[in-house]
Amino acid sequence: MGNSDTKLHFRKAVIQLTTKTQPVEATDDVFWDQFWADASTTVQDVFALVPAAEIRAVREESPSNLATLCYKAVERLVQGADSGCPSDKERQIVLNCTRLLTRVLPYIFEDADWRGFFWSTVPGAGRAGRLDADGDDEARPLAESLLLAVANLLFCPDFTVQSHKKSSQDAAEDVLSIDSCEYIWEAGVGFAQSPPLNFVHDLNRTELLKLLLTCFSEAMYLPPSSDSKSLNPWVTFFCSAENRQALPLFTSLLNVVCAYDPVGYGIPYNHLLFSDYREQLVEQAVQILIVTLEHDAGSAAGSALQALDASGAPAAEEEEQESAGPDNLFVNYLSRIHREEDLGFILKGLARLLNNPLVQTYLPRSAKKIQFHQELLIVFWKFCDFNKKFLFFVLKSSDVLDMLVPILFYLNDARADQSRMGLMHIGVFVLLLLSGERNFGVRLNKPYTLRVPMDIPVFTGNHADLLIVIFHKIITSGHQRLQPLFDCLLTIIVNISPYMKSLSMVAANKLLHLLEAFSTPWFLFSSTQNHLLVFFLLEVFNNIIQYQFDGNCNLVYAIIRKRNIFHHLANLPTDTASVQKALQKKRKSRVSRTNSTEAESMEGSRPAVPAEPGTLKASLEATPGIDKITEKSQVTENGTLVAVPQSDSPQAAADNSAMSGASDTESNSERDHEADHTESESTRGRLSSVSSSVACSANPDWVLSWKGKLPLQTIMRLLQVLVPQVEKICIDKGLTDESEILKFLQHGTLVGLLPIPHPILIRKYQANAGTVMWFRTYMWGVIYLRNLDPPIWYDTDIRLFEIQRI
């Protein structure tokens, strides 16, 4: 009964606020206390009892009342932070104010006239009671007071952290002077003790972090902008030196995420019997991390650290780097983590969480499965991008494969689901970043022995085979809007190809099948971009033949068997009649899969499922073309990388001629419709349907401009030498068994017969304004869709992206 009474009182207060035409004085504490005095209103109650229409009505008709409500709620948070919340009543007031502000803030942000409100001081508010203890802080903007109060409350003994005192008599006096670094939430980076789990503290932290995330979400209400210098003022202030809790909070968030083990002691079905409050906290923590680490000048941190080698830097360099580090303290702290045990703790934690959904158990659904893998991928991305020592650490052992396998699993699982296009992109971007480092290609030679349930052909091979087989699956049976990712997928294969020591027959056939699909005349002539896919694949074959010929008899045999593809490419017709004839065939053309083992899938696997009807999906910015997000580097004889101007190689010249003249958005909006790669899971991949306006650009001059640059010399020389030898051995010995031919190729050599090895060209990921904007829309889209209980931003006027129902 009492519970329903308090809800009734709260509802009456809301109605009074919306119906009062006269401004309510800030000094009328009896009226304002109604909103936070009740002890039993939950966050769900606040969202139900404060409807969106009424918040908008107060905003339009009684703006001073809404302003006073926000001011008074922030004032109570500041008072709670100053006093240390010694009583249950004060803690309840802080939680109620937190929930109310979480509810109201999105409606402040959606109105352009209101966005400056929190960054101004409230006129006359000082009469009602000062927000800050110090007189000179009285004029601090409301936003700053709010952020500092929340930061302090996150380290409030007996409220959000375990008190170190035996008695709490004098605890309140020194709340503002305690060393928060002694109250870090979890052991890990920079902190050795693991405080006892306290679910009440976890719940309180979660609610405060939810409010913090809501404060940062002003970015959702601004349209996408190519101006990469537009910083989020909330994040900028919170991560500045003004916030004395920046270091302990960053460390707490990081440690809570990386130390979390969803399986725990592994008792079957324990997640159905007990609530895991730590999981809610981890989800909020990882979302706060990805938002605070969105730092457009982060490349400055990357470039400062790029000069450091894996062994470390002299003290003078470190001092200089520290002083020149980014203003965002979260990025600064992240970029300076360097101890091996800390780097290992972070990598193991992220790998454990990303692998969690892949874990197989004998009892169905008996193990807890986490759902925040997209946020984890963004965190991993940020660490690799901002902290080069972390990137070197990841790649110096086969631990990187613990990240690779789950990423490939997610890519394969999401390929047919258009609601998970963002997940496909972030997975591919992470692999593109890793593939720019030589060590990544070397690590992929480790045999693949895991049996993760993926609907791919059974094969015996290494992790490079797994990557190629899954990329082939994405290209031939993924969702049609994945076309802009094809050049990224092939760039990754190009980057790792000089280091692939021994491809399996399954992977070799997949590569040849892709070349066959992409080199059909109708596909080549259908778009100004498509021939680049052939260039990439030819570069893969050339790298393997020139640098890893000895162990790759399977690929050499596959090239010999499919030699007609290369002959057709060399003799590609360029006259107008042939080009037009090929384009007319495009709708009828079908590419059959060549691999007979395609139907044989892994036991326990399942095909990718399309989105459920009614699924919400956040729209994404266009993906910049591969030339915009990579820079070319040449590997010299001693293994160092030298940047290469784009026109230095025939391949690059072809890139330039094809890519020039198209902006990021143009090139992608075209490519979205260039080719369908759908659907038939069991039998075929389909390449078709190009807009006629693009097809019109195919003419003999254009075809000749890139056909002469096709890097076919090495492969043609290989065929010229080996085909007669293989044919002779088959006739002489009457061979029909391919294992004998493979044995012959295994012991063959082309030393002195091939052209001089070309320099290895690596395309390293390079951030630009387009990718910065893409990451911002993707990140906030994920956060929007993952916060539906309570639905913080639902039904507000989001402008950064669109929410579509599939």
Side-chain angles (χ1 to χ4, degrees):
M1 182 72 185
N3 189 17
S4 57
D5 280 352
T6 55
K7 287 184 184 176
L8 194 61
H9 288 315
F10 184 81
R11 181 69 192 128
K12 280 181 180 171
V14 174
I15 292 169
Q16 280 180 296
L17 186 72
T18 53
T19 52
K20 279 183 186 292
T21 50
Q22 294 301 313
V24 182
E25 282 295 321
T27 48
D28 187 355
D29 286 337
V30 176
F31 175 77
W32 296 112
D33 282 351
Q34 297 176 93
F35 290 98
W36 36 77
D38 288 332
S40 55
T41 46
T42 64
V43 66
Q44 283 78 14
D45 292 338
V46 170
F47 272 72
L49 297 172
V50 188
E54 293 184 14
I55 302 173
R56 289 191 176 109
V58 174
R59 188 184 70 197
E60 304 307 323
E61 293 157 26
S62 311
S64 63
N65 284 348
L66 180 59
T68 309
L69 177 71
C70 292
Y71 165 75
K72 294 293 286 184
V74 173
E75 182 185 51
R76 296 311 295 258
L77 287 182
V78 172
Q79 288 170 3
D82 288 351
S83 69
C85 300
S87 68
D88 286 341
K89 184 184 177 188
E90 284 177 88
R91 290 170 200 158
Q92 195 58 51
I93 286 173
V94 163
L95 288 174
N96 287 341
C97 291
T98 299
R99 292 160 186 163
L100 194 63
L101 286 168
T102 303
R103 179 60 173 150
V104 169
L105 273 170
Y107 298 91
I108 301 256
F109 293 150
E110 74 174 4
D111 188 325
D113 295 335
W114 272 84
R115 272 182 223 130
F117 165 70
F118 269 84
W119 293 99
S120 60
T121 48
V122 182
R127 290 197 304 272
R130 297 195 336 210
L131 275 178
D132 289 276
D134 302 328
D136 56 344
D137 280 340
E138 189 176 341
R140 192 185 273 287
L142 208 54
E144 294 185 7
S145 299
L146 171 57
L147 291 172
L148 293 179
V150 172
N152 289 329
L153 286 164
L154 285 166
F155 293 97
C156 188
D158 293 322
F159 180 51
T160 50
V161 292
Q162 199 77 27
S163 174
H164 291 176
K165 293 187 179 292
K166 296 247 170 49
S167 76
S168 55
Q169 295 301 318
D170 56 349
E173 293 172 19
D174 55 2
V175 158
L176 293 176
S177 61
I178 62 170
D179 181 2
S180 305
C181 289
E182 294 176 10
Y183 291 88
I184 287 170
W185 302 347
E186 188 56 76
V189 176
F191 194 67
Q193 296 90 28
S194 190
L197 280 177
N198 184 318
F199 77 93
V200 176
H201 292 173
D202 278 0
L203 282 172
N204 294 342
R205 292 164 179 169
T206 303
E207 296 220 40
L208 287 164
L209 290 180
K210 219 180 269 291
L211 172 57
L212 208 48
L213 197 61
T214 310
C215 291
F216 297 157
S217 70
E218 185 182 77
M220 284 197 205
Y221 298 91
L222 304 171
S225 157
S226 58
D227 178 16
S228 64
K229 292 185 174 59
S230 57
L231 294 172
N232 184 329
W234 294 82
V235 174
T236 303
F237 177 80
F238 189 77
C239 297
S240 72
E242 293 261 4
N243 179 8
R244 74 185 184 96
Q245 311 291 10
L247 176 58
L249 187 57
F250 171 75
T251 313
S252 295
L253 296 171
L254 180 60
N255 291 354
V256 155
V257 171
C258 294
Y260 178 56
D261 184 359
V263 176
Y265 293 113
I267 302 165
Y269 302 109
N270 64 342
H271 61 289
L272 301 179
L273 304 175
F274 310 104
S275 294
D276 182 0
Y277 297 105
R278 181 51 57 110
E279 183 185 14
Q280 299 171 27
L281 175 63
V282 171
E283 281 198 37
Q284 292 297 319
V286 78
Q287 288 173 6
I288 293 287
L289 274 177
I290 62 177
V291 172
T292 49
L293 293 173
E294 194 216 2
H295 186 65
D296 298 340
S299 51
S303 56
L305 287 165
Q306 208 146 15
L308 304 179
D309 60 14
S311 60
E317 279 184 43
E318 284 187 356
E319 282 173 21
E320 186 183 331
Q321 168 206 325
E322 193 172 325
S323 62
D327 297 331
N328 181 322
L329 290 181
F330 277 37
V331 175
N332 204 323
Y333 297 143
L334 184 159
S335 66
R336 285 161 46 195
I337 296 171
H338 62 278
R339 293 194 318 161
E340 293 249 326
E341 53 266 45
D342 291 342
L343 299 174
F345 166 74
I346 295 166
L347 178 59
K348 281 189 175 60
L350 295 177
R352 177 175 59 250
L353 291 172
L354 281 172
N355 279 282
N356 165 262
L358 285 62
V359 174
Q360 299 239 64
T361 52
Y362 291 108
L363 298 168
R365 297 186 180 84
S366 64
K368 186 182 184 67
K369 306 283 190 199
I370 62 159
Q371 302 296 321
F372 50 92
H373 45 271
Q374 297 191 81
E375 295 98 313
L376 290 167
L377 285 174
I378 300 175
V379 167
F380 179 67
W381 168 273
K382 300 282 186 193
F383 268 83
C384 289
D385 196 25
F386 290 153
N387 189 328
K388 293 306 169 194
K389 286 191 176 179
F390 178 74
L391 181 59
F392 296 147
F393 180 83
V394 169
L395 294 169
K396 81 173 190 180
S397 74
S398 55
D399 288 350
V400 67
L401 303 177
D402 294 336
M403 302 298 293
L404 172 75
V405 172
I407 291 172
L408 292 176
F409 170 85
Y410 295 127
L411 290 178
N412 182 60
D413 192 51
R415 70 181 190 278
D417 181 350
Q418 62 170 313
S419 71
R420 291 193 281 172
M421 287 297 102
L423 171 59
M424 296 294 297
H425 281 74
I426 182 68
V428 171
F429 283 163
V430 168
L431 295 182
L432 181 63
L433 181 73
L434 294 175
S435 74
E437 306 295 330
R438 174 186 177 277
N439 272 355
F440 181 65
V442 173
R443 301 290 163 239
L444 293 181
N445 289 308
K446 184 177 180 180
Y448 175 68
T449 52
L450 292 169
R451 282 294 171 257
V452 174
M454 290 189 265
D455 55 324
I456 57 172
V458 176
F459 70 91
T460 302
N462 54 38
H463 285 76
D465 295 312
L466 177 70
L467 182 140
I468 288 168
V469 167
I470 287 175
F471 281 13
H472 174 271
K473 191 100 178 173
I474 293 168
I475 290 170
T476 57
S477 67
H479 190 268
Q480 65 192 42
R481 292 187 68 83
L482 288 178
Q483 170 90 11
L485 278 181
F486 288 2
D487 47 12
C488 269
L489 294 169
L490 294 186
T491 298
I492 293 165
I493 300 177
V494 171
N495 283 348
I496 64 173
S497 59
Y499 314 109
M500 295 195 296
K501 292 186 174 176
S502 145
L503 278 187
S504 69
M505 187 61 84
V506 171
N509 282 335
K510 297 298 183 198
L511 286 177
L512 266 299
H513 177 243
L514 288 179
L515 183 66
E516 187 176 25
F518 291 145
S519 61
T520 51
W522 68 264
F523 183 72
L524 279 173
F525 301 153
S526 292
S527 152
T528 55
Q529 307 283 327
N530 287 353
H531 69 281
L532 294 176
L533 303 176
V534 172
F535 272 86
F536 283 137
L537 283 165
L538 291 177
E539 193 174 341
V540 170
F541 297 136
N542 287 338
N543 282 342
I544 295 173
I545 292 166
Q546 290 279 22
Y547 291 98
Q548 299 292 346
F549 177 82
D550 288 350
N552 275 296
C553 57
N554 287 326
L555 182 68
V556 173
Y557 178 60
I559 288 173
I560 291 171
R561 280 184 58 221
K562 289 286 184 179
R563 56 190 177 277
N564 61 318
I565 301 173
F566 302 98
H567 291 304
H568 285 156
L569 267 176
N571 300 308
L572 194 69
T574 57
D575 57 286
T576 307
S578 300
V579 170
Q580 291 309 316
K581 187 178 174 186
L583 286 170
Q584 284 162 12
K585 281 185 186 174
K586 70 178 182 282
R587 294 191 183 279
K588 303 170 192 170
S589 187
R590 294 291 182 269
V591 182
S592 303
R593 293 195 181 169
T594 56
N595 197 344
S596 60
T597 61
E598 188 65 31
E600 187 190 354
S601 287
M602 191 169 290
E603 189 178 347
S605 67
R606 61 192 187 282
V609 263
E612 304 248 337
T615 303
L616 293 178
K617 168 196 168 190
S619 65
L620 287 166
E621 285 296 284
T623 319
I626 193 68
D627 63 322
K628 305 283 197 308
I629 61 172
T630 55
E631 60 178 7
K632 295 184 178 66
S633 299
Q634 202 167 290
V635 181
T636 60
E637 287 180 16
N638 63 1
T640 56
L641 290 178
V642 180
V644 176
Q646 285 206 346
S647 55
D648 276 8
S649 68
Q651 158 82 49
D655 286 10
N656 280 348
S657 64
M659 297 275 194
S660 59
S663 72
D664 288 357
T665 313
E666 286 166 350
S667 63
N668 283 289
S669 57
E670 283 177 8
R671 285 190 294 170
D672 270 3
H673 305 290
E674 275 164 16
D676 276 343
H677 286 252
T678 49
E679 222 141 291
S680 167
E681 193 65 33
S682 57
T683 56
R684 63 183 180 239
R686 183 159 60 95
L687 299 167
S688 67
S689 176
V690 186
S691 64
S692 56
S693 60
V694 176
C696 288
S697 64
N699 58 61
D701 290 340
W702 170 73
V703 177
L704 282 168
S705 71
W706 54 260
K707 182 192 166 185
K709 300 186 180 97
L710 285 169
L712 287 165
Q713 301 87 338
T714 301
I715 296 170
M716 289 306 193
R717 184 69 181 137
L718 175 142
L719 293 173
Q720 186 185 357
V721 172
L722 291 182
V723 170
Q725 293 181 15
V726 171
E727 286 177 345
K728 184 173 187 300
I729 211 170
C730 288
I731 293 164
D732 291 352
K733 296 188 177 179
L735 289 181
T736 53
D737 182 10
E738 64 181 30
S739 63
E740 291 293 326
I741 302 169
L742 287 170
K743 200 177 289 182
F744 164 74
L745 292 172
Q746 204 168 353
H747 296 102
T749 178
L750 292 177
V751 175
L753 298 172
L754 294 177
I756 297 166
H758 56 281
I760 296 172
L761 205 62
I762 301 291
R763 292 166 183 80
K764 292 173 78 76
Y765 171 81
Q766 177 67 37
N768 68 0
T771 53
V772 167
M773 200 60 241
W774 186 91
F775 269 101
R776 185 175 301 158
T777 56
Y778 171 58
M779 173 182 75
W780 281 111
V782 169
I783 289 171
Y784 177 100
L785 295 172
R786 301 273 301 122
N787 284 276
L788 294 176
D789 182 27
I792 300 176
W793 301 282
Y794 185 75
D795 210 21
T796 60
D797 186 19
I798 302 288
R799 301 188 66 196
L800 185 64
F801 48 82
E802 292 175 15
I803 294 294
Q804 302 144 351
R805 193 175 291 276
I806 296 175

